[in-house]
Amino acid sequence: MNSTKNQKLLNDEQMRKFITDGFLLLETDFSSEFHQQLTKQLDMAYHDGNPGNNLLPKVPELQRVFDHPVITGGLTSVLGENYMLHAHRHGHFNAAPKAGGWHKDSYWGYRRMRNHHPWWAMIMYFPQDTPIELGPTGIMPGTQNYESRIFPEDETEEEILASGKAGTFALIHYDIWHRANANQLGKSRYMLKFEFMRTEVPVAPTWDNQEVEWKKTDTSLAPLLQQEVMWEETWNWLTGKLGSIANTTIENEGRIQELANLIEDDFEPNALRASYELARSGKRGVDTLLMQLHHENVAVSRIASYGLSVSGKDSIPGLVKALESSRPETVIHAAFALGEHRHLAREAVPELNRLLEHASVHERRTIVESLGMIKAPEEEVVIGLIKCLQDQDTQVRFMAGLSLCRLGATAEKAVPELEIALDDDNRYVRAHAAEALRYIGTEQAKDVLLKYLFNTRWCASTTAESTF
């Protein structure tokens, strides 16, 4: 679906920087005339308001941007060969003389557990020269793995600005903290934001990989933000290793208790560092994390789930047991961790499917994603995801489509329900159902998809003034 031919893949140094800092600035060889012409097309497209998800058909030249070997190479390196260009597209028009607030983007209006592993990424494209005075996007390096804003609102010292000549591209981890800066010139400033999703778990490096092992890298991040164990685990995960934290079993009971206490630290980087260290500390570490999963403080439970998500198969029985908890947050955190274990957590699928009958909507939103990541036993997973396509909650339905994308042809039994979903009231249920049919890819799926696409074909040049 995304050919590696002629792609300019990232090298090891660039991948290490993406893992630690959460972003890369990319340079293409488009001419200045290309960007100027595209900016004029944007001016025309925005005449009637922001085109939103119709940005690509409104400005077809944009597809050349996302077919460029530097862009496809960067995305393939981070998200694998069969990554998906998500249906949500947004062009930011900034003329505000005041900087925007720091934020993480939501997943189309609902909260979910955010992955430390790079399942999602964004490309931000600036088609015009964007000096500091024009209000470029600001990125806070190394913050992609923190739910809390760990820096003051007015912090600017560490901020990286996506400032430069026309054609500046920022490839960022979806969950990084960022903001719009003040446009002091009052001129038009466009930033086109496109989202991309990994559809396959990594089985081997998809970048220009020369060095097998993770090695410490130079980073300007403050020592308190450095997460060497987490970074090494992410590198290993991207090379195809599952449960990839090196086991350094801690026999010292005092150290285990120290780490258990540190998970309760209010400073999130400290708590996460402790969780990842416990994850590689053998059975005693896993048992400690399972205990903290049930901690009365929901934030502590969430931090523990990140360690459990990378701690290997020894944690799975305890995580399955945690699905019986009466507290929704504990169930959510357990289901999230089980999903990250993929096929190793197949024993959890019957319980996850049973939970779909009575779980809260927030639990079901996590379960639907976890089923698509576990993937096996295939028949039971597909049965559960078909049920999710019929859910009353919009977000469960559109997440079901994304999860089915990860199953490919093994999800063919879902095609009749996906055909129904193509008529859903929600735009993302429809879009994700179409994507699922594309990734399933059987003759039946393609016939349904082609009929839908022809019936809903949209003409970018049709306007009230030019109807035919």
Side-chain angles (χ1 to χ4, degrees):
M1 299 201 183
N2 297 296
S3 172
T4 58
K5 187 177 180 181
N6 299 324
Q7 289 183 346
K8 185 174 176 54
L9 298 173
L10 301 180
N11 58 34
D12 288 332
E13 182 180 354
Q14 289 173 305
M15 282 299 292
R16 283 192 292 267
K17 180 174 174 59
F18 184 85
I19 289 170
T20 58
D21 292 9
F23 78 96
L24 290 170
L25 297 182
L26 303 177
E27 294 184 4
T28 62
D29 57 2
F30 287 114
S31 67
S32 58
E33 290 76 19
F34 172 83
H35 300 298
Q36 290 170 8
Q37 184 60 34
L38 198 143
T39 302
K40 290 179 181 178
Q41 293 182 46
L42 286 169
D43 288 337
M44 294 176 62
Y46 272 69
H47 180 72
D48 297 323
N50 193 320
N53 291 343
N54 286 329
L55 191 55
L56 269 179
K58 270 281 195 180
V59 188
E61 279 292 282
L62 266 175
Q63 190 59 53
R64 287 183 58 190
V65 169
F66 296 106
D67 289 340
H68 192 282
V70 169
I71 304 303
T72 60
L75 289 166
T76 295
S77 297
V78 171
L79 298 178
E81 294 178 4
N82 287 324
Y83 65 82
M84 176 198 299
L85 169 58
H86 192 268
H88 175 68
R89 298 93 190 259
H90 193 71
H92 288 267
F93 179 86
N94 177 22
K98 183 178 179 181
W102 288 103
H103 65 281
K104 288 174 178 270
D105 283 1
S106 71
Y107 289 81
W108 330 292
Y110 77 104
R111 293 181 62 83
R112 64 182 286 278
M113 287 283 291
R114 295 180 182 269
N115 303 95
H116 291 170
H117 294 147
W119 283 98
W120 292 82
M122 283 195 287
I123 290 283
M124 293 179 174
Y125 164 49
F126 296 83
Q128 72 286 296
D129 289 348
T130 311
I132 294 174
E133 295 79 10
L134 197 58
T137 298
I139 301 165
M140 192 58 72
T143 59
Q144 65 273 14
N145 296 320
Y146 305 127
E147 184 73 18
S148 55
R149 195 183 73 236
I150 54 176
F151 52 92
E153 177 67 32
D154 59 353
E155 178 65 59
T156 60
E157 184 177 345
E158 304 299 329
E159 181 179 7
I160 299 295
L161 299 178
S163 174
K165 292 290 185 181
T168 295
F169 293 87
L171 168 61
I172 69 173
H173 188 294
Y174 188 88
D175 294 327
I176 204 164
W177 284 88
H178 61 281
R179 68 171 179 176
N181 275 273
N183 185 339
Q184 302 170 31
L185 300 181
K187 298 179 181 179
S188 298
R189 188 280 268 168
Y190 293 107
M191 184 276 282
L192 309 185
K193 182 189 75 175
F194 285 73
E195 302 174 9
F196 299 84
M197 188 189 89
R198 173 185 286 277
T199 63
E200 297 175 341
V201 297
V203 295
T206 53
W207 68 96
D208 182 15
N209 177 233
Q210 304 297 321
E211 299 168 333
V212 175
E213 302 297 330
W214 169 261
K215 71 176 186 180
K216 289 189 176 182
T217 185
D218 292 333
T219 176
S220 60
L221 297 180
L224 285 175
L225 300 187
Q226 296 188 22
Q227 298 281 354
E228 203 67 40
V229 177
M230 182 194 297
W231 296 340
E232 180 181 2
E233 195 283 329
T234 300
W235 172 276
N236 290 342
W237 184 84
L238 284 164
T239 64
K241 298 176 184 176
L242 182 58
S244 56
I245 290 184
N247 193 310
T248 56
T249 302
I250 298 176
E251 302 293 344
N252 188 321
E253 183 67 26
R255 178 55 178 164
I256 292 287
Q257 187 57 53
E258 180 184 347
L259 292 170
N261 293 337
L262 196 56
I263 287 182
E264 302 177 28
D265 197 302
D266 291 335
F267 188 57
E268 191 176 6
N270 289 342
L272 277 173
R273 197 174 295 111
S275 185
Y276 272 80
E277 188 171 342
L278 282 168
R280 64 172 185 171
S281 300
K283 184 178 184 304
R284 188 69 182 91
V286 169
D287 289 346
T288 301
L289 288 169
L290 287 169
M291 182 175 64
Q292 296 289 51
L293 185 69
H294 297 272
H295 197 284
E296 61 181 9
N297 185 329
V298 171
V300 175
S301 173
R302 179 181 63 83
I303 294 292
S305 73
Y306 282 114
L308 289 165
S309 74
V310 299
S311 59
K313 60 184 180 181
D314 289 345
S315 65
I316 291 172
L319 287 168
V320 175
K321 181 67 176 175
L323 295 175
E324 301 173 5
S325 173
S326 60
R327 185 174 70 168
E329 292 86 354
T330 301
V331 175
I332 289 168
H333 299 156
F336 166 83
L338 286 164
E340 288 285 353
H341 283 292
R342 290 132 56 184
H343 63 277
L344 295 181
R346 60 185 296 147
E347 68 186 75
V349 170
E351 181 60 25
L352 291 171
N353 278 346
R354 280 194 292 272
L355 277 172
L356 290 174
E357 299 290 345
H358 59 80
S360 72
V361 64
H362 300 290
E363 291 170 302
R364 299 200 306 276
R365 290 173 185 171
T366 302
I367 291 168
V368 64
E369 186 164 28
S370 295
L371 286 172
M373 294 169 74
I374 296 171
K375 297 176 62 172
E378 293 165 353
E379 184 174 357
E380 291 184 51
V381 168
V382 173
I383 288 171
L385 292 177
I386 289 173
K387 187 179 299 182
C388 291
L389 284 170
Q390 303 164 344
D391 200 280
Q392 292 183 342
D393 181 68
T394 299
Q395 294 153 8
V396 173
R397 297 199 303 278
F398 71 58
M399 284 305 299
L402 291 182
S403 286
L404 286 163
C405 290
R406 296 186 172 121
L407 272 67
T410 61
E412 186 172 25
K413 286 186 178 179
V415 169
E417 199 63 38
L418 287 167
E419 185 172 12
I420 295 172
L422 292 173
D423 290 324
D424 197 275
D425 291 339
N426 182 269
R427 71 188 75 185
Y428 293 117
V429 176
R430 299 192 300 270
H432 297 174
E435 289 286 4
L437 290 165
R438 179 167 76 104
Y439 279 88
I440 289 171
T442 62
E443 288 302 313
Q444 181 190 15
K446 286 188 281 190
D447 287 346
V448 171
L449 178 58
L450 282 172
K451 179 182 177 182
Y452 168 73
L453 293 176
F454 274 110
N455 289 344
T456 58
R457 187 180 67 87
W458 192 74
C459 178
S461 57
T462 297
T463 64
E465 293 76 26
S466 176
T467 58
F468 58 89

